[in-house]
């Protein structure tokens, strides 16, 4: 068939030599012609497996066929039926593990339809053409609901509830709305503007955003009741950075990726006229193999690191990061030291890190996660000079809310326990979703949780 | 935006600001702090809530100008606003009747000490306050601590006011004179280190309040981490107060020089 012989579209990218000098988005987006041609590849499968790979079951052939028909607006409408943040998910979903992994093209030994690129295209087109349709909202019902945290889970919940007629207030601890989308994921991968458009749209619909307000600290659970909130959606994320607990980890120049990325992305460190300081390394090591590690190491290159490396204890195949981030990092000159694990940091007389002691590893038997677990090779230890180390070995659930509301049931890992179908917690007026329920997960899962919680809370409150 | 209602100079480099923050005024307890941004593009810096007025909906900050961000805050005038104030943060001070409490503060550390002095007195303790500074002009809040202190001892390095000597000399004179059940120390890290070494010698429980570098103040970044009893703790959520005898002050002093 004609369709299947078209090669998968290539995403236009900024030149690596140029892009490491700035923060501009690496992926430039598809042209309309390229998007229509790529959309033509989709065979509109009668039983589309791609949809089963999407955690929120987006009607993938539905939106893609609208692109093929050049009805880009209709494509965006299909996306918005299921996803509150298609411009974000089109950019940051691990498509190769989700929707695209199930595409029928794999059976033909061909590259899958570029679902993520097309999703981004439709959403960007909608944003840039200014034809952003104002969604229909139900008449105001006067019922107040509160959202704790303004990441993807909180934003999608807020959007769904405002459309259902609720009076919605989002409380955010930081001075910016957006959660990880703002303080974590860098501009070169997800421009703030993309997120701000969504936030402004919610504000225009009447969502009330309160920054600098920590639920559990500034306002208590009782305060929220006194203020008349009938339902509370906790979307406080997995903000707590983990360290490895190895000697020297508190030396100057060893920091969490949260600290590094927050200073740069949220606080503007390194830019003129911004007061927040940042340590700039010449030889930077980032420990870990996830998206956060890739974002940190690529940020380090942009901050002027001459050598930037990822140190990961398993092999490249086991890395949890999106495949595209690994590819982009390599193009940008990032070195990959896989099967290595730091065991100690050494420092100069002022306490500034200057050396990393790493243990070489090999892969052993598969562990509980199904991945082959790394085992140290006895005696194989090397020292590598470094002047900045960014520890990116995972995060734990933010304990602020569980600490403030002791009656809330939490798991041993510190996540809030919810009913999987309704996202309702052990306290009947508290629902929760996103990373505070799942531990570190993904944007699309957080967003999906927000939508499910909204549906369930609405059903309960309108009983 | 939080409006500044009053400003007073305690010394050349220390100002008191009364700031509009009704929700924080209501929920704060002694020992809590806030994170403040002076302006857009400003840095987030931690400041202790020295006092609060729930009726007026205000909190009091006492700020020492030591650098860029504290300098910007000190230069604001009544009518102007802080761009962001978030809190109350940290664990509140554990207040209990223990007997005799020596509260010793150095420099701007007296500001965070004030609410603790008040609360310790109100809990029925005998409170002996030791204020220390390099020179007379730098002694702050003397009038404010007096009503809640059974005795106030002033120490200056140059002898220009009170007794000549270090804060540790003042504390030791009390220890040599009577039974002390608890020492609370807040001030520069180096001062807390030496107070801690002193009280360890006499085996007197000692609480300190740590002023590490912070970013978010909510446990998200780990910039504030210190070693306490051999374990890594985050000052913003586990502290800011800790058992001084367990704190690795040398590591803390090192980390405070991260950006110097
Ligand atoms: C650097 C980085 C890169 C990532 N890359 C990807 C990627 O490419 N693809 C992907 O799918 N996922 C990625 N993730 C994971 C993804 O960002 C998260 O799974 C997702 O953001 C979780 O959303 P959330 O709404 O649960 O919480 P968050 O986005 O974490 O937002 C929680 C918000 O709640 C606020 N908050 C916390 N406690 C309180 C309180 N008590 N009161 C008020 N506010 C509070 C926090 O300040 C925060 O703003 C990445 C994560 C990081 C850190
Ligand atoms: C819980 C807590 C409560 C505090 N309460 C008060 C208070 O009530 N009044 C007050 O004047 N100060 C207080 N501080 C200290 C105050 O936050 C710092 O003086 C301020 O951040 C310095 O910022 P800067 O930009 O003005 O100085 P910089 O120019 O950045 O640095 C000047 C010096 O201050 C130190 N420093 C830098 N950033 C910080 C930081 N975030 N925290 C601590 N030290 C830092 C540096 O080591 C440097 O030596 C408190 C700190 C903490 C952690
Ligand atoms: S939301 Fe993510 S997984 Fe679902 S279709 Fe879009 S890119 Fe694929
Ligand atoms: S599986 Fe692939 S070809 Fe089939 S509908 Fe989905 S995207 Fe289109
Ligand atoms: S200030 Fe960020 S974790 Fe304490
Ligand atoms: Mg500063």
């Amino acid at each position: 068939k004609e369709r299947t012989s078209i090669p998968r579209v290539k995403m236009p990218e900024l030149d690596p030599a140029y892009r490491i000098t700035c923060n501009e988005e690496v992926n430039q987006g598809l042209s309309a012609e390229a998007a229509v041609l790529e959309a033509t590849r989709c065979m509109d499968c009668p039983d589309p497996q791609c949809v089963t790979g999407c955690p929120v079951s987006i009607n993938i052939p539905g939106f893609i066929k609208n692109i093929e028909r050049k009805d880009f607006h209709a494509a965006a409408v299909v996306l918005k039926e299921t996803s509150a943040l298609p411009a974000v998910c089109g950019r940051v979903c691990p498509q190769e593990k989700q929707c695209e992994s199930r595409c029928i093209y794999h059976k033909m030994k061909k590259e899958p339809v570029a679902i993520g690129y097309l999703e981004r295209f439709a959403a960007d087109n909608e944003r840039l053409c200014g034809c952003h349709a104002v969604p229909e909202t139900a008449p105001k019902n006067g019922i107040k609901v509160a959202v704790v945290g303004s990441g993807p889970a909180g934003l999608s919940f807020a959007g769904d509830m405002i459309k259902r007629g609720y009076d919605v207030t989002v409380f955010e601890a930081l001075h910016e709305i957006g959660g990880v989308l703002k303080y974590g994921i860098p501009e070169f991968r997800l421009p703030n503007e993309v997120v701000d458009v969504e936030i402004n749209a919610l504000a225009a619909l009447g969502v009330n955003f309160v920054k600098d307000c920590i639920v559990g600290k500034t306002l208590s659970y009782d305060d929220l009741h006194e203020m008349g909130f009938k339902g509370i959606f906790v979307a406080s994320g997995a903000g707590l950075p983990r360290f490895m607990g190895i000697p020297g980890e508190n030396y100057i120049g060893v920091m969490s990726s949260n600290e590094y990325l927050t200073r740069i992305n949220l606080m503007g460190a390194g830019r003129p006229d911004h007061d927040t300081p940042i340590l700039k390394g010449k030889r930077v090591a980032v420990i870990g193999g996830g998206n956060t590690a890739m974002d940190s190491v690529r940020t380090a290159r942009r901050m002027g690191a001459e050598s930037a490396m990822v140190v990961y204890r398993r092999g490249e195949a086991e890395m949890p990061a999106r495949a595209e981030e690994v590819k982009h990092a390599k193009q940008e000159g990032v070195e990959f030291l896989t099967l290595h694990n730091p065991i100690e940091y050494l420092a100069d007389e002022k306490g500034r890190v200057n050396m990393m002691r790493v243990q070489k590893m090999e892969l052993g038997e598969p562990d509980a996660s199904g991945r082959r677990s790394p085992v140290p090779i006895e005696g194989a230890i090397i020292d590598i000079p470094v002047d900045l180390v960014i520890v990116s070995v995972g995060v734990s659930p933010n304990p602020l809310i569980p600490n403030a509301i002791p009656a809330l049931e939490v798991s041993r890992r510190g996540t809030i326990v919810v009913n999987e179908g309704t996202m309702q917690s052990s306290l009947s007026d508290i629902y929760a979703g996103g990373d505070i329920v799942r531990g570190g997960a993904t944007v699309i899962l957080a967003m999906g949780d927000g939508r499910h919680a909204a549906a369930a809370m609405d059903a309960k409150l309108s009983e | 935006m939080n409006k500044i209602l009053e400003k007073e100079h305690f010394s050349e480099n220390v100002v008191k600001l009364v700031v509009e923050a009704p929700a924080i005024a209501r929920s704060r307890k002694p020992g809590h702090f806030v994170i403040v941004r002076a302006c857009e593009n400003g840095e987030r810096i931690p400041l202790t809530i020295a006092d609060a007025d729930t009726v007026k909906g205000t909190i009091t900050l006492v700020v020492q100008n030591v650098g860029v961000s504290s300098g910007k805050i000190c230069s604001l005038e009544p009518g102007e606003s802080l761009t962001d104030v978030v809190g109350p943060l940290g664990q509140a001070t554990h207040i209990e009747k223990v007997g005799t409490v020596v509260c010793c503060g150095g420099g701007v550390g007296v500001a965070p000490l004030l609410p603790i002095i008040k609360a310790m007195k109100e809990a029925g303790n005998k409170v002996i306050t030791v204020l220390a500074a390099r020179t007379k002009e730098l002694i702050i809040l003397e009038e404010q601590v007096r009503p809640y202190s059974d005795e106030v001892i002033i120490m200056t390095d140059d002898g220009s006011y009170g007794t000549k000597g270090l804060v540790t000399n003042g504390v030791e004179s009390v220890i040599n004179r009577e039974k002390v059940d608890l020492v609370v120390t807040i001030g520069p890290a180096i001062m807390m280190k030496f107070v801690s070494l002193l009280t360890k010698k006499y085996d007197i429980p000692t609480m300190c309040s740590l002023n590490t570098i912070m970013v978010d103040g909510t446990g998200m970044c780990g910039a504030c981490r210190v070693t306490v009893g051999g374990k890594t703790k985050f000052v913003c959520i586990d502290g800011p107060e800790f058992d001084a005898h367990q704190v690795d002050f040398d590591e803390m002093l090192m980390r405070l020089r991260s950006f110097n």
Side-chain angles (χ1 to χ4, degrees), chain B residues 178-195:
Chain B
E178 62 187 285
K179 180 170 181 290
V180 174
D181 299 289
L182 175 70
V183 172
V184 180
T185 178
I186 310 186
I190 190 78
M191 179 204 112
M192 294 191 283
K193 173 183 166 175
F194 283 107
V195 170

Side-chain angles (χ1 to χ4, degrees), chain A residues 138-158:
Chain A
K140 291 274 158 227
N141 62 20
I143 304 175
K144 288 174 75 173
V145 295
V147 186
V148 182
S150 65
L155 291 178
S156 65
F157 175 89

Side-chain angles (χ1 to χ4, degrees), chain A residues 172-175 183 211-214 217-219 223 226 239-241 243 249-256 258-259 262-263 266-267 272-279 350-352 398-400 403, chain B residues 23-24 26-27 32 37 39-44 68-69 72 83-91 213-216 218-223 225-227 232 234 237 251 254-255 257-260:
Chain A
E172 169 55 51
L174 294 172
H175 60 267
Y183 76 70
K211 300 173 193 175
D212 293 324
C213 184
I214 306 174
K217 292 275 183 188
T218 319
L219 296 175
D223 288 336
E226 247 170 65
L240 218 61
F243 287 92
E249 217 172 14
N250 289 348
Y251 281 134
I252 299 171
V254 182
M255 70 183 83
S256 73
N258 271 5
E259 177 178 353
T262 300
R263 284 181 181 276
L266 182 74
M267 306 308 301
D273 305 328
H274 287 67
D275 297 338
T276 302
I278 186 78
L279 295 172
K350 287 182 167 165
R352 291 173 192 274
N398 189 319
L400 273 167
N403 287 348
Chain B
I24 300 173
R26 226 157 32 94
S27 44
H32 279 149
R37 271 200 328 154
C39 54
E40 286 300 331
N41 302 350
E43 186 182 6
R44 295 171 66 98
V68 177
S69 303
K72 283 189 177 174
T83 301
D84 299 278
V85 178
V86 62
L89 298 166
Q91 303 292 330
I213 292 173
M214 294 190 173
V215 183
D216 57 295
T218 64
M220 191 185 92
C221 74
R225 64 197 191 276
V226 286
T227 303
T232 295
F234 287 7
I237 47 172
E251 181 190 85
M254 169 196 88
R255 287 185 58 78
R257 288 188 294 266
S258 288
F259 297 105
N260 294 13

Side-chain angles (χ1 to χ4, degrees), chain A residues 91-94 147-154 171-174 176 178-181 183-186 189 213-216 235-239 258 261 291-293 295 322 325 395 398 400-401 433-436 439-444 446, chain B residues 218 220:
Chain A
R91 285 173 166 82
V92 306
C93 266
V147 186
V148 182
S150 65
F171 296 101
E172 169 55 51
L174 294 172
E176 276 267 348
V180 171
L181 306 182
Y183 76 70
I185 305 180
R189 198 148 77 80
C213 184
I214 306 174
V215 172
S236 51
N258 271 5
L261 293 172
N291 288 322
T292 315
D295 284 344
R322 293 179 78 228
E325 306 323 320
V395 285
N398 189 319
L400 273 167
I401 293 288
D435 281 2
I436 188 64
T442 59
V443 171
I444 186 68
Chain B
T218 64
M220 191 185 92

Side-chain angles (χ1 to χ4, degrees), chain B residues 71-138:
Chain B
K72 283 189 177 174
I73 292 170
C74 287
S75 71
L76 292 172
E77 295 299 331
E80 293 184 296
S81 292
L82 294 164
T83 301
D84 299 278
V85 178
V86 62
L89 298 166
Q91 303 292 330
T93 308
H94 178 71
I95 304 287
E96 200 186 351
K97 182 168 182 208
V98 291
T100 300
V101 182
V102 172
C103 294
C104 59
V108 76
V110 182
L113 200 55
L114 175 62
I116 298 172
I117 292 171
K118 266 190 182 176
M120 285 294 179
K121 184 69 203 165
E122 279 156 14
N125 291 293
K126 175 177 178 188
V127 177
I128 300 170
T129 299
V130 182
L131 302 182
R134 251 186 306 118
T135 187
K136 182 176 181 191
E137 283 67 50
L138 300 179

